Amino acid sequence: MTDSAPEAAAQAASAQAALADEFKTAFREHPAAVAIIAGQTATGPVGLTASSVSSVAVDPATLSFSVTRATGSAGGLLEAGDITVNLLSLDQETLALDFARSGAPRFTPEQGWEHFPTGEPYLPQARETLRCRIASTVKVGGSTIVLAEVLEVLHGSSTPPLMYQNRRFGRLDASSFDQ
């Protein structure tokens, strides 16, 4: 008699790995707007580039985003509590790359950061800046989903939004919406 349990487990693991690859491919092809999420900690400002920002509710105004770990910049944001979500414009690709790479320059004077009176760093030249307070977090696998209540909105640049699709930055073709 053969033991089919290890074989079944191997098949299940293979199927799960295939599903994970298909899931990543599906979302890699799905365009998303780009944001820099920033906060102020006791040791200084922290921030990261995100394409997972989404509106959740209007009353109270709430958005969500996810981080893949609770260490480094992501851990700092979770610790900060009050954060800014800076929705980037097409001309801010270099800034998005800086906040996506470990060890790249961040919060330099050349990047144009300012601070709210309450201390959170923000980009006045972003399309939109949402000052938020983290309301709750939910662990899902190795990621954390963050729900943040919006406290204030600043309108900035009218430049088209910076988009991310298939590991590349780009823009939406606005003419396709003029039908």
Side-chain angles (χ1 to χ4, degrees):
M1 179 171 200
T2 62
D3 187 2
S4 63
E7 184 177 312
Q11 288 175 343
S14 177
Q16 184 62 31
L19 178 61
D21 286 343
E22 291 299 320
F23 180 77
K24 287 189 262 184
T25 298
F27 275 93
R28 187 176 299 131
E29 292 298 326
H30 181 72
V34 181
I36 292 178
I37 303 171
Q40 185 68 38
T41 69
T43 59
V46 294
L48 54 81
T49 301
S51 60
S52 62
V53 176
S54 181
S55 65
V56 174
V58 173
D59 187 16
T62 304
L63 58 82
S64 69
F65 62 92
S66 64
V67 293
T68 55
R69 60 183 185 270
T71 61
S73 294
L77 290 173
L78 296 174
E79 172 192 318
D82 290 349
I83 59 170
T84 60
V85 176
N86 301 272
L87 304 177
L88 300 184
S89 59
L90 187 59
D91 57 0
Q92 294 177 304
E93 180 177 337
T94 300
L95 196 57
L97 287 169
D98 287 343
F99 279 76
R101 292 188 195 128
S102 181
R106 296 181 181 190
F107 300 102
T108 67
E110 297 78 26
Q111 292 172 335
W113 289 92
E114 294 186 16
H115 288 80
F116 280 101
T118 49
E120 305 90 347
Y122 76 98
L123 288 165
Q125 68 274 25
R127 286 183 53 78
E128 307 286 340
T129 295
L130 300 99
R131 188 172 71 84
C132 305
R133 175 163 297 130
I134 294 177
S136 64
T137 60
V138 178
K139 294 282 290 170
V140 180
S143 296
T144 300
I145 297 170
V146 178
L147 294 172
E149 183 177 352
V150 178
L151 305 173
E152 184 175 351
V153 177
L154 298 180
H155 305 288
S157 170
S158 61
T159 304
L162 180 62
M163 303 298 293
Y164 189 72
Q165 180 185 20
N166 199 16
R167 299 180 177 153
R168 293 191 336 239
F169 292 107
R171 68 179 286 158
L172 288 175
D173 180 6
S175 65
S176 65
F177 295 103
D178 297 332
Q179 300 177 15

